[in-house]
PDB file of all heavy atoms in Angstrom:
ATOM      1  N   GLY A  41      17.214  29.807  -5.904  1.00 90.00           N
ATOM      2  CA  GLY A  41      18.449  30.183  -5.188  1.00 90.00           C
ATOM      3  C   GLY A  41      19.636  29.368  -5.666  1.00 90.00           C
ATOM      4  O   GLY A  41      20.385  28.830  -4.857  1.00 90.00           O
ATOM      5  N   ALA A 104      24.969  15.055   2.902  1.00 98.00           N
ATOM      6  CA  ALA A 104      24.724  15.431   1.502  1.00 98.00           C
ATOM      7  C   ALA A 104      23.988  16.769   1.478  1.00 98.00           C
ATOM      8  O   ALA A 104      22.836  16.877   1.056  1.00 98.00           O
ATOM      9  CB  ALA A 104      23.922  14.341   0.814  1.00 98.00           C
ATOM     10  N   GLY A 105      24.620  17.827   1.995  1.00 98.00           N
ATOM     11  CA  GLY A 105      24.041  19.179   1.948  1.00 98.00           C
ATOM     12  C   GLY A 105      23.252  19.554   3.192  1.00 98.00           C
ATOM     13  O   GLY A 105      22.977  18.719   4.068  1.00 98.00           O
ATOM     14  N   ALA A 106      22.887  20.837   3.248  1.00 98.00           N
ATOM     15  CA  ALA A 106      22.188  21.357   4.431  1.00 98.00           C
ATOM     16  C   ALA A 106      20.821  20.709   4.611  1.00 98.00           C
ATOM     17  O   ALA A 106      20.350  20.534   5.741  1.00 98.00           O
ATOM     18  CB  ALA A 106      22.048  22.876   4.330  1.00 98.00           C
ATOM     19  N   ALA A 107      20.183  20.350   3.495  1.00 98.00           N
ATOM     20  CA  ALA A 107      18.874  19.709   3.606  1.00 98.00           C
ATOM     21  C   ALA A 107      19.004  18.390   4.383  1.00 98.00           C
ATOM     22  O   ALA A 107      18.223  18.117   5.309  1.00 98.00           O
ATOM     23  CB  ALA A 107      18.295  19.457   2.216  1.00 98.00           C
ATOM     24  N   ALA A 108      20.011  17.608   4.028  1.00 98.00           N
ATOM     25  CA  ALA A 108      20.237  16.347   4.752  1.00 98.00           C
ATOM     26  C   ALA A 108      20.615  16.643   6.206  1.00 98.00           C
ATOM     27  O   ALA A 108      20.154  15.954   7.131  1.00 98.00           O
ATOM     28  CB  ALA A 108      21.334  15.543   4.070  1.00 98.00           C
ATOM     29  N   LEU A 110      19.660  19.066   8.056  1.00 98.00           N
ATOM     30  CA  LEU A 110      18.447  19.444   8.804  1.00 98.00           C
ATOM     31  C   LEU A 110      17.569  18.230   9.083  1.00 98.00           C
ATOM     32  O   LEU A 110      17.064  18.061  10.200  1.00 98.00           O
ATOM     33  CB  LEU A 110      17.643  20.469   7.989  1.00 98.00           C
ATOM     34  CG  LEU A 110      18.241  21.871   7.932  1.00 98.00           C
ATOM     35  CD1 LEU A 110      17.687  22.641   6.733  1.00 98.00           C
ATOM     36  CD2 LEU A 110      17.961  22.624   9.223  1.00 98.00           C
ATOM     37  N   PHE A 131      12.186  28.639   5.421  1.00 96.00           N
ATOM     38  CA  PHE A 131      12.471  27.688   4.347  1.00 96.00           C
ATOM     39  C   PHE A 131      11.457  26.536   4.454  1.00 96.00           C
ATOM     40  O   PHE A 131      11.388  25.876   5.495  1.00 96.00           O
ATOM     41  CB  PHE A 131      13.911  27.190   4.533  1.00 96.00           C
ATOM     42  CG  PHE A 131      14.422  26.264   3.477  1.00 96.00           C
ATOM     43  CD1 PHE A 131      14.477  26.649   2.143  1.00 96.00           C
ATOM     44  CD2 PHE A 131      14.922  25.010   3.816  1.00 96.00           C
ATOM     45  CE1 PHE A 131      14.978  25.791   1.169  1.00 96.00           C
ATOM     46  CE2 PHE A 131      15.426  24.153   2.861  1.00 96.00           C
ATOM     47  CZ  PHE A 131      15.451  24.547   1.526  1.00 96.00           C
ATOM     48  N   TYR A 134      11.601  22.944   6.299  1.00 98.00           N
ATOM     49  CA  TYR A 134      11.630  22.737   7.761  1.00 98.00           C
ATOM     50  C   TYR A 134      10.403  21.951   8.202  1.00 98.00           C
ATOM     51  O   TYR A 134      10.463  21.106   9.096  1.00 98.00           O
ATOM     52  CB  TYR A 134      11.652  24.069   8.525  1.00 98.00           C
ATOM     53  CG  TYR A 134      12.869  24.937   8.314  1.00 98.00           C
ATOM     54  CD1 TYR A 134      12.845  26.295   8.640  1.00 98.00           C
ATOM     55  CD2 TYR A 134      14.059  24.417   7.802  1.00 98.00           C
ATOM     56  CE1 TYR A 134      13.959  27.109   8.460  1.00 98.00           C
ATOM     57  CE2 TYR A 134      15.164  25.216   7.603  1.00 98.00           C
ATOM     58  CZ  TYR A 134      15.116  26.567   7.939  1.00 98.00           C
ATOM     59  OH  TYR A 134      16.210  27.365   7.756  1.00 98.00           O
ATOM     60  N   ASN A 176      17.845  30.661  10.973  1.00 98.00           N
ATOM     61  CA  ASN A 176      18.529  30.654   9.665  1.00 98.00           C
ATOM     62  C   ASN A 176      19.017  32.074   9.392  1.00 98.00           C
ATOM     63  O   ASN A 176      18.250  32.941   9.022  1.00 98.00           O
ATOM     64  CB  ASN A 176      17.511  30.191   8.600  1.00 98.00           C
ATOM     65  CG  ASN A 176      17.992  30.397   7.180  1.00 98.00           C
ATOM     66  OD1 ASN A 176      17.234  30.856   6.317  1.00 98.00           O
ATOM     67  ND2 ASN A 176      19.236  30.074   6.913  1.00 98.00           N
ATOM     68  N   PRO A 178      22.493  34.194   7.765  1.00 98.00           N
ATOM     69  CA  PRO A 178      21.609  35.021   6.948  1.00 98.00           C
ATOM     70  C   PRO A 178      20.424  34.196   6.428  1.00 98.00           C
ATOM     71  O   PRO A 178      20.538  33.000   6.216  1.00 98.00           O
ATOM     72  CB  PRO A 178      22.507  35.469   5.799  1.00 98.00           C
ATOM     73  CG  PRO A 178      23.904  35.376   6.336  1.00 98.00           C
ATOM     74  CD  PRO A 178      23.890  34.214   7.269  1.00 98.00           C
ATOM     75  N   ASN A 179      19.329  34.932   6.201  1.00 98.00           N
ATOM     76  CA  ASN A 179      18.050  34.260   6.037  1.00 98.00           C
ATOM     77  C   ASN A 179      17.564  34.145   4.593  1.00 98.00           C
ATOM     78  O   ASN A 179      17.686  35.066   3.807  1.00 98.00           O
ATOM     79  CB  ASN A 179      17.012  35.048   6.869  1.00 98.00           C
ATOM     80  CG  ASN A 179      15.660  34.397   6.902  1.00 98.00           C
ATOM     81  OD1 ASN A 179      14.802  34.682   6.075  1.00 98.00           O
ATOM     82  ND2 ASN A 179      15.466  33.479   7.830  1.00 98.00           N
ATOM     83  N   ASN A 180      17.013  32.993   4.310  1.00 98.00           N
ATOM     84  CA  ASN A 180      16.209  32.789   3.123  1.00 98.00           C
ATOM     85  C   ASN A 180      14.777  32.726   3.626  1.00 98.00           C
ATOM     86  O   ASN A 180      14.493  31.859   4.457  1.00 98.00           O
ATOM     87  CB  ASN A 180      16.578  31.455   2.457  1.00 98.00           C
ATOM     88  CG  ASN A 180      15.691  31.096   1.295  1.00 98.00           C
ATOM     89  OD1 ASN A 180      14.919  31.912   0.837  1.00 98.00           O
ATOM     90  ND2 ASN A 180      15.819  29.862   0.811  1.00 98.00           N
ATOM     91  N   ASP A 214      20.623  26.765  10.917  1.00 98.00           N
ATOM     92  CA  ASP A 214      20.745  26.411   9.498  1.00 98.00           C
ATOM     93  C   ASP A 214      21.610  27.482   8.827  1.00 98.00           C
ATOM     94  O   ASP A 214      21.161  28.612   8.643  1.00 98.00           O
ATOM     95  CB  ASP A 214      19.323  26.374   8.905  1.00 98.00           C
ATOM     96  CG  ASP A 214      19.308  26.010   7.433  1.00 98.00           C
ATOM     97  OD1 ASP A 214      20.278  25.401   6.965  1.00 98.00           O
ATOM     98  OD2 ASP A 214      18.308  26.339   6.752  1.00 98.00           O
ATOM     99  N   GLU A 215      22.850  27.128   8.460  1.00 98.00           N
ATOM    100  CA  GLU A 215      23.825  28.154   8.071  1.00 98.00           C
ATOM    101  C   GLU A 215      24.423  28.019   6.662  1.00 98.00           C
ATOM    102  O   GLU A 215      25.609  28.271   6.471  1.00 98.00           O
ATOM    103  CB  GLU A 215      24.980  28.185   9.097  1.00 98.00           C
ATOM    104  CG  GLU A 215      24.525  28.428  10.512  1.00 98.00           C
ATOM    105  CD  GLU A 215      25.683  28.560  11.515  1.00 98.00           C
ATOM    106  OE1 GLU A 215      26.838  28.683  11.090  1.00 98.00           O
ATOM    107  OE2 GLU A 215      25.396  28.526  12.722  1.00 98.00           O
ATOM    108  N   PRO A 216      23.612  27.683   5.647  1.00 98.00           N
ATOM    109  CA  PRO A 216      24.247  27.592   4.322  1.00 98.00           C
ATOM    110  C   PRO A 216      24.700  28.939   3.768  1.00 98.00           C
ATOM    111  O   PRO A 216      25.491  28.989   2.832  1.00 98.00           O
ATOM    112  CB  PRO A 216      23.167  26.967   3.433  1.00 98.00           C
ATOM    113  CG  PRO A 216      21.887  27.221   4.118  1.00 98.00           C
ATOM    114  CD  PRO A 216      22.190  27.290   5.586  1.00 98.00           C
ATOM    115  N   TYR A 217      24.192  30.044   4.365  1.00 98.00           N
ATOM    116  CA  TYR A 217      24.567  31.378   3.861  1.00 98.00           C
ATOM    117  C   TYR A 217      25.558  32.073   4.802  1.00 98.00           C
ATOM    118  O   TYR A 217      25.717  33.291   4.734  1.00 98.00           O
ATOM    119  CB  TYR A 217      23.309  32.251   3.701  1.00 98.00           C
ATOM    120  CG  TYR A 217      22.291  31.630   2.774  1.00 98.00           C
ATOM    121  CD1 TYR A 217      21.231  30.873   3.281  1.00 98.00           C
ATOM    122  CD2 TYR A 217      22.398  31.777   1.395  1.00 98.00           C
ATOM    123  CE1 TYR A 217      20.311  30.276   2.435  1.00 98.00           C
ATOM    124  CE2 TYR A 217      21.478  31.184   0.538  1.00 98.00           C
ATOM    125  CZ  TYR A 217      20.445  30.437   1.067  1.00 98.00           C
ATOM    126  OH  TYR A 217      19.539  29.844   0.221  1.00 98.00           O
ATOM    127  N   TYR A 241      25.334  22.948   8.157  1.00 98.00           N
ATOM    128  CA  TYR A 241      26.074  23.766   7.197  1.00 98.00           C
ATOM    129  C   TYR A 241      26.137  23.047   5.859  1.00 98.00           C
ATOM    130  O   TYR A 241      26.047  21.818   5.787  1.00 98.00           O
ATOM    131  CB  TYR A 241      27.500  24.004   7.719  1.00 98.00           C
ATOM    132  CG  TYR A 241      28.344  24.855   6.792  1.00 98.00           C
ATOM    133  CD1 TYR A 241      28.230  26.244   6.814  1.00 98.00           C
ATOM    134  CD2 TYR A 241      29.222  24.271   5.884  1.00 98.00           C
ATOM    135  CE1 TYR A 241      28.992  27.033   5.950  1.00 98.00           C
ATOM    136  CE2 TYR A 241      29.982  25.059   5.020  1.00 98.00           C
ATOM    137  CZ  TYR A 241      29.862  26.430   5.068  1.00 98.00           C
ATOM    138  OH  TYR A 241      30.609  27.210   4.210  1.00 98.00           O
ATOM    139  N   SER A 242      26.330  23.837   4.774  1.00 98.00           N
ATOM    140  CA  SER A 242      26.702  23.215   3.501  1.00 98.00           C
ATOM    141  C   SER A 242      27.553  24.185   2.703  1.00 98.00           C
ATOM    142  O   SER A 242      27.570  25.381   2.973  1.00 98.00           O
ATOM    143  CB  SER A 242      25.482  22.794   2.685  1.00 98.00           C
ATOM    144  OG  SER A 242      24.982  23.890   1.951  1.00 98.00           O
ATOM    145  N   TRP A 243      28.250  23.638   1.695  1.00 98.00           N
ATOM    146  CA  TRP A 243      29.069  24.455   0.791  1.00 98.00           C
ATOM    147  C   TRP A 243      28.291  24.785  -0.474  1.00 98.00           C
ATOM    148  O   TRP A 243      28.863  25.294  -1.428  1.00 98.00           O
ATOM    149  CB  TRP A 243      30.364  23.702   0.450  1.00 98.00           C
ATOM    150  CG  TRP A 243      31.347  23.674   1.575  1.00 98.00           C
ATOM    151  CD1 TRP A 243      32.294  24.632   1.858  1.00 98.00           C
ATOM    152  CD2 TRP A 243      31.499  22.653   2.568  1.00 98.00           C
ATOM    153  NE1 TRP A 243      33.010  24.259   2.976  1.00 98.00           N
ATOM    154  CE2 TRP A 243      32.547  23.050   3.418  1.00 98.00           C
ATOM    155  CE3 TRP A 243      30.844  21.454   2.831  1.00 98.00           C
ATOM    156  CZ2 TRP A 243      32.962  22.280   4.513  1.00 98.00           C
ATOM    157  CZ3 TRP A 243      31.247  20.692   3.922  1.00 98.00           C
ATOM    158  CH2 TRP A 243      32.288  21.104   4.742  1.00 98.00           C
ATOM    159  N   SER A 244      26.969  24.489  -0.462  1.00 98.00           N
ATOM    160  CA  SER A 244      26.158  24.696  -1.671  1.00 98.00           C
ATOM    161  C   SER A 244      26.243  26.128  -2.162  1.00 98.00           C
ATOM    162  O   SER A 244      26.329  26.379  -3.364  1.00 98.00           O
ATOM    163  CB  SER A 244      24.693  24.367  -1.379  1.00 98.00           C
ATOM    164  OG  SER A 244      24.552  23.015  -1.053  1.00 98.00           O
ATOM    165  N   LYS A 245      26.197  27.076  -1.232  1.00 98.00           N
ATOM    166  CA  LYS A 245      26.147  28.491  -1.625  1.00 98.00           C
ATOM    167  C   LYS A 245      27.537  29.121  -1.563  1.00 98.00           C
ATOM    168  O   LYS A 245      27.919  29.877  -2.441  1.00 98.00           O
ATOM    169  CB  LYS A 245      25.184  29.263  -0.711  1.00 98.00           C
ATOM    170  CG  LYS A 245      23.867  28.554  -0.429  1.00 98.00           C
ATOM    171  CD  LYS A 245      22.940  28.495  -1.625  1.00 98.00           C
ATOM    172  CE  LYS A 245      21.720  27.621  -1.309  1.00 98.00           C
ATOM    173  NZ  LYS A 245      20.652  27.698  -2.269  1.00 98.00           N
ATOM    174  N   PRO A 250      25.926  23.401  -5.229  1.00 97.00           N
ATOM    175  CA  PRO A 250      24.759  22.722  -4.638  1.00 97.00           C
ATOM    176  C   PRO A 250      24.524  21.324  -5.213  1.00 97.00           C
ATOM    177  O   PRO A 250      23.997  20.459  -4.523  1.00 97.00           O
ATOM    178  CB  PRO A 250      23.589  23.664  -4.966  1.00 97.00           C
ATOM    179  CG  PRO A 250      24.040  24.466  -6.141  1.00 97.00           C
ATOM    180  CD  PRO A 250      25.537  24.607  -5.987  1.00 97.00           C
ATOM    181  N   ARG A 253      26.247  18.172  -3.472  1.00 98.00           N
ATOM    182  CA  ARG A 253      25.597  17.695  -2.246  1.00 98.00           C
ATOM    183  C   ARG A 253      26.606  17.393  -1.140  1.00 98.00           C
ATOM    184  O   ARG A 253      26.899  16.233  -0.835  1.00 98.00           O
ATOM    185  CB  ARG A 253      24.735  16.439  -2.509  1.00 98.00           C
ATOM    186  CG  ARG A 253      23.796  16.491  -3.680  1.00 98.00           C
ATOM    187  CD  ARG A 253      22.869  17.707  -3.648  1.00 98.00           C
ATOM    188  NE  ARG A 253      21.989  17.743  -2.500  1.00 98.00           N
ATOM    189  CZ  ARG A 253      21.748  18.858  -1.803  1.00 98.00           C
ATOM    190  NH1 ARG A 253      22.327  20.006  -2.107  1.00 98.00           N
ATOM    191  NH2 ARG A 253      20.930  18.833  -0.784  1.00 98.00           N
ATOM    192  N   ILE A 254      27.118  18.469  -0.546  1.00 98.00           N
ATOM    193  CA  ILE A 254      28.059  18.233   0.548  1.00 98.00           C
ATOM    194  C   ILE A 254      27.913  19.315   1.628  1.00 98.00           C
ATOM    195  O   ILE A 254      27.816  20.494   1.332  1.00 98.00           O
ATOM    196  CB  ILE A 254      29.522  18.121   0.005  1.00 98.00           C
ATOM    197  CG1 ILE A 254      30.486  17.654   1.088  1.00 98.00           C
ATOM    198  CG2 ILE A 254      29.995  19.373  -0.680  1.00 98.00           C
ATOM    199  CD1 ILE A 254      30.324  16.219   1.484  1.00 98.00           C
ATOM    200  N   GLY A 255      27.869  18.846   2.862  1.00 98.00           N
ATOM    201  CA  GLY A 255      27.713  19.733   4.014  1.00 98.00           C
ATOM    202  C   GLY A 255      28.081  18.970   5.280  1.00 98.00           C
ATOM    203  O   GLY A 255      28.651  17.883   5.216  1.00 98.00           O
ATOM    204  N   TYR A 332      18.812  37.188  -1.320  1.00 98.00           N
ATOM    205  CA  TYR A 332      17.385  37.368  -1.518  1.00 98.00           C
ATOM    206  C   TYR A 332      16.948  38.764  -1.083  1.00 98.00           C
ATOM    207  O   TYR A 332      17.483  39.318  -0.107  1.00 98.00           O
ATOM    208  CB  TYR A 332      16.605  36.335  -0.695  1.00 98.00           C
ATOM    209  CG  TYR A 332      17.030  34.915  -0.973  1.00 98.00           C
ATOM    210  CD1 TYR A 332      17.802  34.210  -0.044  1.00 98.00           C
ATOM    211  CD2 TYR A 332      16.689  34.292  -2.170  1.00 98.00           C
ATOM    212  CE1 TYR A 332      18.219  32.910  -0.310  1.00 98.00           C
ATOM    213  CE2 TYR A 332      17.104  32.991  -2.432  1.00 98.00           C
ATOM    214  CZ  TYR A 332      17.865  32.304  -1.497  1.00 98.00           C
ATOM    215  OH  TYR A 332      18.275  31.031  -1.758  1.00 98.00           O
ATOM    216  N   ARG A 369       9.580  37.070  -3.015  1.00 98.00           N
ATOM    217  CA  ARG A 369      11.025  36.934  -2.858  1.00 98.00           C
ATOM    218  C   ARG A 369      11.700  37.050  -4.223  1.00 98.00           C
ATOM    219  O   ARG A 369      11.287  36.393  -5.176  1.00 98.00           O
ATOM    220  CB  ARG A 369      11.376  35.571  -2.244  1.00 98.00           C
ATOM    221  CG  ARG A 369      12.876  35.427  -1.983  1.00 98.00           C
ATOM    222  CD  ARG A 369      13.273  33.995  -1.675  1.00 98.00           C
ATOM    223  NE  ARG A 369      13.327  33.174  -2.874  1.00 98.00           N
ATOM    224  CZ  ARG A 369      13.740  31.908  -2.907  1.00 98.00           C
ATOM    225  NH1 ARG A 369      14.133  31.324  -1.785  1.00 98.00           N
ATOM    226  NH2 ARG A 369      13.763  31.219  -4.034  1.00 98.00           N
TER     227      ARG A 369
HETATM  228  N1  LIG B 401      18.378  25.910   4.192  1.00 57.87           N
HETATM  229  C1  LIG B 401      18.097  27.021   3.509  1.00 57.87           C
HETATM  230  C2  LIG B 401      17.638  28.216   4.246  1.00 57.87           C
HETATM  231  C3  LIG B 401      18.208  27.056   2.110  1.00 57.87           C
HETATM  232  O1  LIG B 401      17.917  28.170   1.452  1.00 57.87           O
HETATM  233  C4  LIG B 401      18.636  25.880   1.442  1.00 57.87           C
HETATM  234  C5  LIG B 401      18.742  25.847  -0.027  1.00 57.87           C
HETATM  235  O2  LIG B 401      18.404  26.751  -0.747  1.00 57.87           O
HETATM  236  C6  LIG B 401      18.929  24.748   2.201  1.00 57.87           C
HETATM  237  C7  LIG B 401      18.797  24.792   3.572  1.00 57.87           C
HETATM  238  C8  LIG B 401      19.363  23.467   1.550  1.00 57.87           C
HETATM  239  O3  LIG B 401      20.681  23.581   1.145  1.00 57.87           O
HETATM  240  P1  LIG B 401      21.479  22.378   0.438  1.00 57.87           P
HETATM  241  O4  LIG B 401      21.403  22.636  -1.032  1.00 57.87           O
HETATM  242  O5  LIG B 401      22.854  22.481   0.930  1.00 57.87           O
HETATM  243  O6  LIG B 401      20.814  21.117   0.807  1.00 57.87           O
END
Side-chain angles (χ1 to χ4, degrees):
L110 287 159
F131 184 59
Y134 296 162
N176 169 224
N179 185 268
N180 174 11
D214 180 22
E215 303 184 12
Y217 302 96
Y241 180 82
S242 83
W243 286 273
S244 296
K245 316 289 173 169
R253 312 307 298 137
I254 189 71
Y332 306 106
R369 184 193 77 175

